[in-house]
DNA sequence: TATTTAACTTAGTACCCTAATT
DNA sequence: AATTAGGGTACTAAGTTAAATA
């Protein structure tokens, strides 16, 4: 692998080591001449730098982007016609940086930027006190709170109808932190707030709800107006210039204050997450750029110039002392390159995985306990796609991964089934019974010997050691690469095997989703069952029964036409679940619906007549129509159980046969849809699509099977994966 | 070497928007 | 035209990992 000098790709380590801390300006003096100008770069855009840094990366552009570039070219002034109607205002028309055209676009190096210009971060607007008539109550009496205390009370008030308000830990933490605020900002009327149980936040809650409703009731135009105003305020922060290219910033808004919503049994949930001020925020910017002003009063904690990192700003959040960063958006070159190298690394694992597997299978029998445990861990990571599983602290939710499994999390079901039950990342339950290699089963029995439930199952394995071991096989190999590798590999294989070559687009999409789901199951990607799931299931079920009913009727018509059909097995058999009772139910429902429809139609017709200055139809017209429907209903009632039926309009037997075939098809797809829906109700497909499946697999598949990629990648996903869109139809993971 | 910290990826959910449905 | 379901996005918590520190 040759070292190349592309600006974004530097050879790593040697050059970056030791520079993690703050980089002093003078160190960068050597490249000063290159970047002096961009101080005024807001206007200059790519132009100036193109000349200066020239050549690299841009070579392929003129051809394709000719027209676009020209437009950008006359930069400075706006061409009067420009944006008028040609484009929707949101169409960005940036010429994308084709970094993946470079010879070694992802390399394995740290990306090191040359210039970085941005406007800092966007602080949320300051707190606006509630109107004076909205007051929480204490012991039944309204309390006059200073705004600092009111704000925090409001955070809680907004959550009244959520499960958080029922959570003892959440309440305790909130109340503790709120009391702390109250100490500094006590009620203005002298109320002594002592007990949580005496607090009534409902007036606040109701006010918020009313405000929400008001906002919702605004006309579309007003909403648009508001959004536009907000966008304008935020616009300066939405993009930055990285090496003179405009790039989207991911999360340029500073997280607003609120109550910490930890997942699962997080001991700190409900704690007050304080408002972040400029004094808390460090910004990272090119050494020669104009230093931006915060949009709220105050000065930055620090301004640094560290081109070995990719963040624009950071601060430490007060609840868990977690570091928060402002990064570029997923579609940026920096993120794109890193994403691509992630998948390239996973592909590289293909060259080593056989060896690695052979080794750990061997080591499953090692005499050394540490080796045997490590091998077992690797088995779990490789086969079950478990996460590495770092140790966690007392002040965090009790969740585990591979290396942090405890004895209580695995039970043995002879001869060789392991039953896993533990909470993983985000406190998502991993609950599976898995048939494992007999040696793994034996090992587990051994590892559990003489230990209590709370003891570590793999007490001799630690993530860092494990990763060091993996790194010995392949540079950069760590536990998490296996998840990426196995996910993408599984996906590719499933698609290759299961895609119906001559199927319809829908059938192909089904195969795709099936493969996607298989990966999601492997990685245990879950979601809460949608609220409406049950409802939509019954609705789908009703639809199937309706179809079956129609089929039955058609069959009966056939019997009336020719007795031979009764002999035909295809038609002789009754539809499942359509018994006498069901028929009654269906017909009653049909009757009801028909009447409703008739009434609506009647009303509409009259409206029209009135509008045309004619006189509306008499009610008896409606009555007549309703009676007709009832007559039909009675006719059907008489048919019940006779095994015969007639149609309103006669049709030849062969047409009916065709219709039945069509119904069969519809019944089948509807049933499949139900099965599909039920199977997927708690499986999240998105996570694997975004993080684990090499997008080139999807792109190649789309090309090969002639499916538009837009059916599978949303707009943002398309923006995230520009580098993958050029994969050929025969590309393989 | 063990522990801590910094930086980055991965994750589910709340909420918004859009398209299907009524 | 209004409602609703479900897809998409924003948000930020919770992981992993390498490097810094003790």
């Amino acid at each position: 692998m040759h070292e190349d000098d592309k600006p974004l790709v530097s050879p790593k380590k040697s050059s970056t080591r030791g520079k993690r801390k703050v980089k002093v300006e003078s160190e960068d003096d050597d490249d000063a001449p290159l970047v002096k100008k961009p101080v005024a770069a807001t206007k200059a855009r790519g132009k100036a730098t193109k000349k200066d840094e020239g050549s690299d990366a841009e070579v392929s552009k003129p051809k394709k982007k000719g027209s676009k570039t020209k437009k950008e070219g006359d930069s400075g002034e706006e061409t009067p016609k420009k944006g008028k109607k040609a484009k929707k205002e949101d169409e960005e028309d940036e010429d994308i940086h084709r970094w993946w055209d470079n010879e070694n676009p992802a390399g394995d190096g740290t990306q090191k930027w040359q210039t970085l210009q941005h406007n800092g971060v966007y602080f949320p607007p300051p707190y606006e006190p509630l109107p004076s008539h909205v007051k929480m109550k204490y012991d039944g009496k309204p309390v006059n709170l200073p705004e600092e205390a009111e704000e925090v009370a409001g955070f809680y008030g907004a959550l009244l109808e959520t499960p958080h308000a029922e959570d003892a830990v959440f309440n305790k933490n909130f109340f503790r932190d709120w009391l702390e605020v109250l100490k500094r900002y006590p009620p203005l009327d002298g109320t002594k707030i002592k007990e949580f149980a005496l607090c009534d936040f409902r007036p606040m809650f109701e006010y918020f709800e009313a405000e929400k409703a008001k906002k919702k009731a605004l006309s579309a135009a007003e909403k648009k107006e508001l959004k536009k105003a907000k966008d304008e305020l935020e616009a300066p922060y939405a993009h930055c210039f990285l090496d003179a290219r405009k790039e989207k910033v991911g999360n340029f808004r500073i997280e607003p204050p609120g109550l910490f919503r930890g997942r699962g049994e997080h001991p700190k949930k409900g704690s007050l997450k304080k408002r972040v001020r400029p004094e808390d925020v460090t910004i990272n910017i090119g050494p020669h750029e104009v230093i931006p002003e915060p949009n709220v009063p105050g000065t930055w904690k620090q301004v640094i110039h560290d081109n070995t990192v990719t963040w624009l700003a950071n601060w430490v959040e007060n609840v868990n002392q977690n570091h928060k960063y402002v990064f570029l958006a997923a579609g940026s070159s920096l993120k794109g390159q890193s994403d691509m190298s992630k998948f390239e690394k996973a592909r590289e694992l293909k060259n080593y995985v056989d060896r690695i597997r052979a080794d750990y299978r061997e080591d499953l029998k090692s005499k050394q306990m540490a080796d045997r445990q490590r091998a077992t861990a690797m088995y779990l990571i490789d086969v079950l796609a478990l996460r590495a599983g770092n140790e966690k602290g007392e002040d965090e939710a009790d969740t585990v991964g591979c290396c942090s499994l405890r004895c209580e999390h695995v039970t043995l079901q002879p001869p060789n089934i392991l039953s896993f039950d533990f909470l993983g990342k985000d406190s998502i339950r991993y609950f599976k019974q898995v048939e494992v290699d007999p040696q793994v089963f034996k090992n587990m029995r051994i590892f559990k010997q003489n230990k209590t439930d709370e003891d570590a199952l793999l007490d001799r394995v630690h993530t860092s050691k494990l990763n060091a071991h993996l790194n010995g096989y392949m540079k950069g190999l760590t536990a998490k690469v296996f998840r990426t590798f196995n996910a993408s590999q599984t996906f590719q294989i499933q698609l290759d095997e299961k895609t119906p070559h001559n199927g319809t687009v829908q059938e192909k999409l089904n195969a795709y989703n099936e493969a996607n789901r298989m990966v999601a199951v492997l990685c245990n990607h879950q979601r809460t069952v949608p609220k409406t799931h049950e409802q939509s299931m019954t609705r789908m079920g009703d639809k199937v029964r309706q179809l079956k009913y129609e089929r039955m009727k058609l069959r009966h018509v056939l019997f009336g036409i020719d007795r031979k059909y009764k002999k035909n097995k295809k038609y002789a058999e009754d539809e499942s679940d359509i018994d006498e009772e069901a028929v009654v139910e269906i017909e009653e429902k049909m009757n009801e619906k028909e009447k409703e429809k008739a009434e609506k139609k009647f009303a509409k017709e009259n409206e029209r007549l009135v509008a045309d200055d004619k006189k509306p139809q008499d009610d008896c017209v409606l009555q007549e129509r309703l009676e007709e429907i009832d007559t039909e209903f009675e006719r059907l009632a008489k048919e019940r159980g006779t095994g015969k039926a007639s149609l309103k309009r006669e049709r030849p037997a062969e047409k009916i046969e065709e219709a039945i075939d069509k119904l069969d098809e519809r019944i089948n797809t509807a049933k499949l849809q139900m099965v599909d829906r039920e199977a997927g109700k708690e499986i999240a497909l998105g996570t694997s699509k975004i993080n684990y499946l090499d997008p080139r697999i999807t792109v190649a598949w789309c090309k090969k099977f002639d499916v538009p990629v837009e059916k599978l990648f949303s707009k943002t996903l398309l923006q995230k994966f520009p580098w993958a869109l050029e994969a050929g139809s025969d590309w393989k993971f």
Side-chain angles (χ1 to χ4, degrees), chain A residues 117-123 236-240 249 251-254 281 283-285 290-295 300 312-313 326:
Chain A
Q117 184 205 8
H118 62 83
N119 295 316
V121 290
Y122 182 79
F123 290 88
Y237 307 94
H239 294 90
C240 70
V249 181
N251 53 331
F252 53 86
R253 293 178 198 89
I254 290 277
V281 177
I283 61 167
N284 189 24
I285 194 167
V290 176
I291 293 170
E293 284 286 315
N295 67 316
W300 304 114
L312 310 191
V326 173

Side-chain angles (χ1 to χ4, degrees), chain A residues 446-458:
Chain A
I446 295 169
F447 300 159
K448 285 183 76 161
Q449 261 163 23
N450 304 319
K451 286 187 192 164
T452 67
D453 279 354
E454 296 78 38
D455 288 335
L457 181 65
L458 304 169

Side-chain angles (χ1 to χ4, degrees), chain A residues 235-273:
Chain A
Y237 307 94
H239 294 90
C240 70
F241 288 90
L242 180 77
D243 293 340
R245 265 184 315 270
K246 192 173 180 180
E247 301 261 24
K248 223 170 168 174
V249 181
N251 53 331
F252 53 86
R253 293 178 198 89
I254 290 277
E255 293 176 15
L259 302 181
F260 174 66
R261 273 126 122 152
R263 317 234 169 105
E265 288 308 306
H266 198 298
K268 293 193 177 178
K269 60 182 161 184
S271 302
L272 173 61
K273 195 170 81 165

Side-chain angles (χ1 to χ4, degrees), chain A residues 71-303:
Chain A
K71 182 145 117 239
E72 290 280 326
D74 40 14
S75 62
E77 292 86 349
E78 289 264 306
T79 322
K81 295 162 231 166
K82 193 178 171 182
K84 271 290 152 56
K85 53 187 169 174
K87 327 202 150 297
K88 301 269 175 235
E89 88 257 348
D90 64 347
E91 213 170 302
E92 290 253 323
D93 185 51
E94 283 308 312
D95 41 0
I96 20 158
H97 171 212
R98 299 177 55 84
W99 51 266
W100 57 92
D101 284 347
N102 288 353
E103 197 169 316
N104 181 17
D108 63 345
T110 305
Q111 290 108 20
K112 210 173 156 188
W113 47 263
Q114 303 293 312
T115 67
L116 173 59
Q117 184 205 8
H118 62 83
N119 295 316
V121 290
Y122 182 79
F123 290 88
Y127 178 66
E128 272 188 46
L130 304 180
S132 53
H133 66 275
V134 184
K135 288 193 168 39
M136 67 161 297
K137 293 180 187 162
Y138 187 72
D139 205 4
K141 292 186 273 296
V143 189
N144 199 0
L145 292 172
E147 60 179 87
E148 287 83 356
E150 179 189 85
E151 181 182 22
V152 179
F155 293 154
Y156 188 84
L159 300 177
L160 272 198
E161 304 263 288
T162 70
H164 294 118
E166 307 288 309
D167 188 306
V169 177
F170 194 94
N171 290 341
K172 184 187 107 237
N173 286 330
F174 153 71
F175 194 58
R176 180 201 59 222
D177 287 358
W178 186 47
L179 283 182
E180 204 56 40
V181 175
L182 280 169
K183 230 187 257 173
R184 269 193 73 189
Y185 304 98
L188 303 168
D189 53 17
T191 310
K192 300 277 180 256
I193 296 181
K194 289 265 168 55
E195 269 197 66
F196 178 71
L198 296 180
C199 297
D200 177 10
F201 301 93
R202 194 143 292 266
M204 296 179 134
F205 174 80
E206 270 153 17
Y207 172 73
F208 296 141
E209 289 294 299
E211 286 296 292
K212 251 191 256 171
K214 242 193 246 172
K215 218 176 244 173
K216 218 171 118 188
L218 253 34
S219 76
E222 286 169 309
K223 280 184 199 160
K224 215 172 158 189
E225 196 69 18
L226 281 175
K227 176 150 191 303
K228 201 182 149 210
K230 184 168 179 258
D231 284 350
E232 260 164 40
L233 227 48
E234 296 179 345
Y237 307 94
H239 294 90
C240 70
F241 288 90
L242 180 77
D243 293 340
R245 265 184 315 270
K246 192 173 180 180
E247 301 261 24
K248 223 170 168 174
V249 181
N251 53 331
F252 53 86
R253 293 178 198 89
I254 290 277
E255 293 176 15
L259 302 181
F260 174 66
R261 273 126 122 152
R263 317 234 169 105
E265 288 308 306
H266 198 298
K268 293 193 177 178
K269 60 182 161 184
S271 302
L272 173 61
K273 195 170 81 165
K274 294 188 179 144
R275 183 175 290 271
V276 177
R277 304 150 302 143
E279 285 72 17
D280 304 316
V281 177
T282 299
I283 61 167
N284 189 24
I285 194 167
H288 309 290
E289 307 296 349
V290 176
I291 293 170
E293 284 286 315
N295 67 316
V296 296
T299 51
W300 304 114
K301 177 181 182 186
Q302 223 191 136
V303 178

Side-chain angles (χ1 to χ4, degrees), chain A residues 19-30:
Chain A
K19 293 198 181 174
R20 270 227 121 99
K21 267 288 130 113
V22 177
K23 226 177 167 198
V24 197
E25 287 202 14
S26 59
E27 266 183 54
D28 286 318
D29 272 351
D30 50 343

Side-chain angles (χ1 to χ4, degrees), chain A residues 471-489:
Chain A
N471 197 55
Y473 284 100
M474 179 189 123
K475 193 167 154 253
L477 183 60
T478 62
K480 93 185 188 57
V481 179
F482 278 85
R483 261 168 90 85
T484 314
F485 166 76
N486 279 314
S488 283
Q489 179 90 322

